[in-house]
Amino acid sequence: MPIKEVGHYSVSYLQILDASGNVDKELEPKISDEDLLALYRGMVMGRAVDQRMLNLQRQGRIGTFAPSTGQEAAHIVPAFLMNDKDWFVGAFRETGARLLRGETITQTLLYYNGFEEGNKRSGNRRILPVSIIVAGQALHAVGIGYAMKYQGEKDTSVICIMGDGATSEGDFHEALNFAGVWNVPVVFIVQNNQWAISLPREKQTSSKTLAQKSIAFDIPGIQVDGNDPLGMYVATKEALERARTGGGPTLIEAVTYRLMMHTTADDPKKYRQDDEVEGWQAKDPLIRFKKYLEDKGLWDEQKEEALQGATKEEIDAGVKAFEEFTELPPEACFDHVFAKMTPELEEQKQDFLKRKGS
Ligand SMILES: Cc1ncc(C[n+]2csc(CCOP(=O)(O)OP(=O)(O)O)c2C)c(N)n1
């Protein structure tokens, strides 16, 4: 049988700042000092909020939440690169990114305590609520991208974030398929944190990389050290430029690690080894970024102390406002289902109020 090659594919890996904080000078992006410091502040805030949420959850003051410690570079850097008109379409493990998109600490806490008020947005930054449905948001992102194109919006894009487990879902493949066909301005970022709850990455898919899943849909794809803020900066910036200038979608696999539990309802000690976690702690994105800033003469222990203090104060204020929030009446759940209440729902609400006797 005659055989001719009809395609030849490869997957690239990008790392600029290694685990010890040493930079590859040839690949180092030009980022202003101001932006570098803002990025670091965003990452420190992401981690500090995470830690506080964990404490609040353990004290029984909020419900379940999904920590993002260790994954800050993979989602906070992309959020930092977005403009006001871009849409942020995320999963449930990107609190730091959501804060950069204008969500407040109080809103985050309200959301995680079951108050729909946590999803209320003010300002013009575009952001969808948390998606608990794994990979469902990839379809929403493509729909938004398609609508943007249809309406002739220029210089805008969608950043869609998900976990490695999402790439094993049908929704992911449907989304990438139509993203390719319609050439929509969507940047898909897969935070490959090695686990989907207790299922290791190897048991979810036999693909050697997750980036290569882009090849089937003829979309550019790249694997990046997801704990390297500079690598994430360069890869996301390039993908955003492509999206905003009509070049279509990109898939970025950010190789990272979930240092904490899947959610506060999970105990990872039951299924993963301590030495695996310790190996990844050594690759912490915050530690390496701090060293990079110190080497550039932009950072020192005094500044670090001041930042940690200011961050704590901001979180304290957010927690206080959350705890002062007056509880909503039980019928509030009827109000948040549709933008405009349907007659059936209105009837149900009135019936509920009658039975309640108010
Ligand atoms: C469609 C769907 N199936 C199953 C679940 C239950 N579930 C919640 S999180 C999760 C694992 C997600 O893993 P991954 O996509 O890798 O993201 P990570 O939690 O690691 O960030 C599962 C199976 C769900 N929320 N949605």
Side-chain angles (χ1 to χ4, degrees):
M1 183 172 37
I3 293 180
K4 68 173 179 172
E5 195 175 17
V6 290
H8 186 76
Y9 308 100
S10 66
V11 179
S12 304
Y13 174 78
L14 177 68
Q15 182 193 61
I16 300 175
L17 193 63
D18 73 12
S20 313
N22 301 313
V23 67
D24 182 327
K25 284 277 172 207
E26 278 185 22
L27 297 176
E28 186 180 11
K30 281 196 179 45
I31 308 177
S32 69
D33 292 352
E34 194 191 328
D35 279 3
L36 283 173
L37 294 176
L39 259 176
Y40 185 62
R41 278 198 299 275
M43 287 170 61
V44 166
M45 175 57 85
R47 177 138 329 167
V49 167
D50 220 34
Q51 192 55 54
R52 181 67 71 87
M53 302 263 283
L54 183 64
N55 294 346
L56 290 171
Q57 197 280 332
R58 293 308 192 226
Q59 292 162 2
R61 288 155 74 189
I62 61 166
T64 306
F65 97 102
S68 37
T69 289
Q71 300 185 207
E72 290 87 352
H75 56 263
I76 290 175
V77 175
F80 180 79
L81 285 165
M82 295 172 75
N83 62 34
D84 283 354
K85 290 276 173 205
D86 292 333
W87 275 94
F88 181 88
V89 181
F92 42 74
R93 202 181 297 285
E94 307 93 34
T95 302
R98 289 179 179 276
L99 293 176
L100 269 194
R101 285 307 284 162
E103 186 171 298
T104 65
I105 293 162
T106 306
Q107 281 168 332
T108 306
L109 291 165
L110 285 171
Y111 172 81
Y112 278 108
N113 220 27
F115 292 108
E116 194 51 38
E117 280 6 67
N119 282 322
K120 251 194 192 159
R121 294 284 163 265
S122 53
N124 57 355
R125 288 192 155 180
R126 295 161 147 187
I127 177 167
L128 283 198
V130 162
S131 172
I132 298 292
I133 311 298
V134 171
Q137 76 273 27
L139 293 168
H140 304 155
V142 174
I144 292 173
Y146 184 80
M148 278 175 158
K149 258 187 99 162
Y150 186 73
Q151 292 179 339
E153 279 200 37
K154 298 269 183 267
D155 300 323
T156 49
S157 66
V158 185
I159 287 224
C160 175
I161 306 201
M162 65 198 100
D164 41 276
T167 73
S168 309
E169 292 278 355
D171 283 359
F172 168 82
H173 296 271
E174 291 167 24
L176 261 75
N177 187 49
F178 281 103
V181 171
W182 293 330
N183 202 42
V184 292
V186 181
V187 179
F188 298 97
I189 296 178
V190 173
Q191 296 194 92
N192 173 6
N193 67 9
Q194 316 302 327
W195 292 87
I197 313 186
S198 55
L199 204 68
R201 144 87 179 81
E202 298 70 37
K203 288 197 177 160
Q204 299 165 44
T205 172
S206 61
S207 289
K208 278 206 171 48
T209 69
L210 303 181
Q212 76 197 58
K213 297 195 180 199
S214 66
I215 292 169
F217 308 106
D218 206 15
I219 290 173
I222 184 167
Q223 190 184 60
V224 183
D225 177 346
N227 285 3
D228 166 11
L230 301 185
M232 285 307 297
Y233 186 97
V234 168
T236 311
K237 194 157 185 277
E238 186 186 303
L240 282 172
E241 271 162 21
R242 182 179 301 122
R244 289 175 185 147
T245 54
T250 303
L251 174 65
I252 297 174
E253 175 189 357
V255 182
T256 181
Y257 193 76
R258 189 190 81 215
L259 285 175
M260 295 223 254
M261 62 292 290
H262 167 74
T263 70
T264 46
D266 171 60
D267 178 8
K269 285 201 178 301
K270 291 210 159 72
Y271 53 82
R272 74 180 185 190
Q273 306 298 317
D274 287 348
D275 55 355
E276 179 185 295
V277 184
E278 281 156 24
W280 280 93
Q281 268 160 350
K283 299 178 187 168
D284 190 318
L286 264 83
I287 297 174
R288 77 171 84 168
F289 199 38
K290 186 171 156 220
K291 176 169 183 303
Y292 174 68
L293 296 179
E294 285 167 350
D295 288 350
K296 282 178 92 71
L298 291 173
W299 206 246
D300 56 33
E301 275 318 307
Q302 220 178 331
K303 287 182 180 160
E304 179 71 24
E305 230 173 81
L307 175 62
Q308 294 291 348
T311 306
K312 184 178 174 307
E313 262 178 39
E314 202 179 326
I315 298 173
D316 286 348
V319 173
K320 190 160 177 277
F322 156 68
E323 295 204 314
E324 281 168 358
F325 187 80
T326 320
E327 211 157 303
L328 291 170
E331 69 272 18
C333 60
F334 292 97
D335 299 331
H336 298 297
V337 184
F338 298 108
K340 190 164 174 274
M341 197 173 307
T342 61
E344 293 80 8
L345 203 59
E346 181 60 44
E347 201 183 317
Q348 284 177 35
K349 182 177 173 179
Q350 293 312 322
D351 186 50
F352 173 81
L353 289 171
K354 210 156 77 199
R355 284 165 199 257
K356 216 174 122 248
S358 54

